[in-house]
Amino acid sequence: MTSTGTWTHKDFISIEDITRDELEILFKLASSFKQTLGRSQKKLPSLRGKTLVNLFMEPSTRTRVSFEIAASRLSADSIFISASASSLVKGETLRDTARNIVALNADLLVMRHSAPGSSLYLSKIIDIPVINAGDGAHAHPTQALLDCFTLRERWGSDFSGKKVTILGDILFSRVARSNIWALQKLGAKVTLVGPSTLVPEYFSAMGVEVSHDLKRALVDTDALMLLRIQHERQTSTHFPSLREYTSMFGLNAMRASWLKPGTIIMHPGPINRGVEIDSKLADSDHSVILEQVTNGIICRMAVLYLCASAVNPVSREEVI
Ligand code: CP
């Protein structure tokens, strides 16, 4: 049996706002939900009668679908709104769109938006839970949750003594920023590596090591998190060409041989095969890329359940 513990957050905006104890509440609930994935009857009644609106102003496969599946597993209804199919294209403000979604009786809002701070902004003007599914390069908190959950299944709850290296386009990565917060809260040492244009020294103010020496960063790492080059957020060229990025920083068989045996290879997706990661390595036994995707369902179930419980104490009963 699992309870909501002392969770009080109506919204889920950033890992920065979440304590280590609250991360533990989320992980324990996600673990309980994982036990239900193998059942023939996968649905739980916890959010029966609730409606989730998925407002996605940027493309998504994993995050959007896993929120929809998470809602369905908790017996909530979900409705998807894309930027191009919403009245935002007719000039409606985000504020008015959100207030109309509330007026339409939605109980939870999940939003992906290109503007950093957009989820926080909505959370202050509407009463229903707002869950950040990615806001520009600022945060992708549920991605960090599922990444850390995947590592926690191997390492246990204390990441002390573990080194996680994040390789690639850190500058434009909300995944990197959220994981820096989450991994350090759990006790891991974090190293960022890549070209100096994409891994600026000022990230060291977040408590991480900044490196531009790939071999030195890889040799003692316990988990390697690769990132896609995010052209859509880059406003100028940060390296001469993709081919040159791959030749200097792409993970290939030779560079993978620098890793310790058993190093875990991760990627939030979507992967660009042959750019940041060699195709065979993405599909190798060391890769947990698809496991990360599956864990996204239960981590998002935990977030939906806890945030809904924070505004509706009636649903604070034990689950599973
Ligand atoms: N990792 C991730 O956010 O993937 P999507 O953009 O497909 O949701």
Side-chain angles (χ1 to χ4, degrees), residues 56 58-66 112 133-134 140 142-143 146-147 174-175 228 232 267-270 293 300:
F56 273 64
E58 285 187 333
S60 168
T61 298
R62 284 147 286 273
T63 311
R64 177 195 152 187
V65 173
S66 63
R112 172 169 288 187
H140 194 350
T142 58
Q143 179 69 45
L146 70 91
D147 292 338
R174 54 194 174 208
V175 174
R228 181 176 65 87
E232 69 276 21
H267 195 307
V293 176
R300 288 172 176 129

Side-chain angles (χ1 to χ4, degrees), residues 261-303:
T263 299
I264 301 164
I265 296 176
M266 312 181 80
H267 195 307
I271 62 174
N272 286 150
R273 289 175 183 268
V275 179
E276 69 272 13
I277 185 167
D278 176 86
S279 195
K280 278 191 186 150
L281 288 169
D283 300 327
S284 71
D285 290 343
H286 296 289
S287 161
V288 295
I289 295 171
L290 292 178
E291 200 178 315
Q292 290 170 259
V293 176
T294 304
N295 284 335
I297 299 170
I298 49 169
C299 289
R300 288 172 176 129
M301 285 170 77
V303 170

Side-chain angles (χ1 to χ4, degrees), residues 103-164:
L104 287 163
N105 258 334
D107 299 291
L108 296 133
L109 176 64
V110 172
M111 184 172 76
R112 172 169 288 187
H113 199 289
S114 59
S118 47
S119 293
L120 178 64
Y121 167 66
L122 287 192
S123 73
K124 304 228 178 269
I125 56 176
I126 61 176
D127 290 336
I128 64 171
V130 176
I131 293 145
N132 184 3
D135 60 334
H138 170 238
H140 194 350
T142 58
Q143 179 69 45
L145 266 192
L146 70 91
D147 292 338
C148 289
F149 184 90
T150 305
L151 292 173
R152 191 179 179 277
E153 288 191 307
R154 285 164 174 75
W155 295 347
S157 57
D158 186 359
F159 289 8
S160 301
K162 299 292 187 190
K163 173 179 166 181
V164 180

Side-chain angles (χ1 to χ4, degrees), residues 33-282:
F33 286 139
K34 191 152 191 173
Q35 290 161 27
T36 69
L37 289 184
R39 293 183 190 166
S40 56
Q41 173 50 271
K42 295 186 174 68
K43 278 203 185 215
L44 299 165
S46 317
L47 297 186
R48 185 181 291 147
K50 307 274 184 216
T51 302
L52 165 76
V53 169
N54 259 323
L55 179 60
F56 273 64
M57 317 301 286
E58 285 187 333
S60 168
T61 298
R62 284 147 286 273
T63 311
R64 177 195 152 187
V65 173
S66 63
F67 266 116
E68 286 182 12
I69 292 174
S72 164
R73 294 280 159 81
L74 293 170
S75 301
D77 297 313
S78 66
I79 292 166
F80 168 64
I81 308 177
S82 69
S84 58
S86 77
S87 287
L88 285 152
V89 292
K90 299 182 206 162
E92 186 170 64
T93 62
L94 183 61
R95 180 176 193 269
D96 281 333
T97 297
R99 293 182 73 213
N100 278 270
I101 287 169
V102 175
L104 287 163
N105 258 334
D107 299 291
L108 296 133
L109 176 64
V110 172
M111 184 172 76
R112 172 169 288 187
H113 199 289
S114 59
S118 47
S119 293
L120 178 64
Y121 167 66
L122 287 192
S123 73
K124 304 228 178 269
I125 56 176
I126 61 176
D127 290 336
I128 64 171
V130 176
I131 293 145
N132 184 3
D135 60 334
H138 170 238
H140 194 350
T142 58
Q143 179 69 45
L145 266 192
L146 70 91
D147 292 338
C148 289
F149 184 90
T150 305
L151 292 173
R152 191 179 179 277
E153 288 191 307
R154 285 164 174 75
W155 295 347
S157 57
D158 186 359
F159 289 8
S160 301
K162 299 292 187 190
K163 173 179 166 181
V164 180
T165 299
I166 309 179
L167 164 59
D169 180 357
I170 310 291
L171 185 62
F172 294 96
S173 175
R174 54 194 174 208
V175 174
R177 284 172 179 79
S178 288
N179 266 302
I180 289 168
W181 288 113
L183 289 162
Q184 293 191 122
K185 281 177 197 248
L186 295 169
K189 181 173 174 292
V190 178
T191 295
L192 311 178
V193 65
S196 56
T197 47
L198 293 176
V199 190
E201 292 293 340
Y202 61 72
F203 272 91
S204 57
M206 293 182 81
V208 300
E209 183 193 6
V210 170
S211 171
H212 310 298
D213 181 337
L214 187 53
K215 188 168 188 178
R216 258 181 68 183
L218 293 194
V219 287
D220 59 349
T221 200
D222 297 290
L224 174 61
M225 202 175 277
L226 299 164
L227 298 175
R228 181 176 65 87
I229 300 295
Q230 296 170 88
H231 306 284
E232 69 276 21
R233 284 200 273 280
Q234 295 189 5
T235 48
S236 58
T237 306
H238 290 79
F239 45 85
S241 70
L242 268 187
R243 187 180 296 186
E244 274 149 301
Y245 175 83
T246 303
S247 74
M248 297 288 290
F249 289 99
L251 187 69
N252 55 26
M254 188 268 289
R255 290 180 182 136
S257 73
W258 299 337
L259 296 166
K260 295 189 288 187
T263 299
I264 301 164
I265 296 176
M266 312 181 80
H267 195 307
I271 62 174
N272 286 150
R273 289 175 183 268
V275 179
E276 69 272 13
I277 185 167
D278 176 86
S279 195
K280 278 191 186 150
L281 288 169

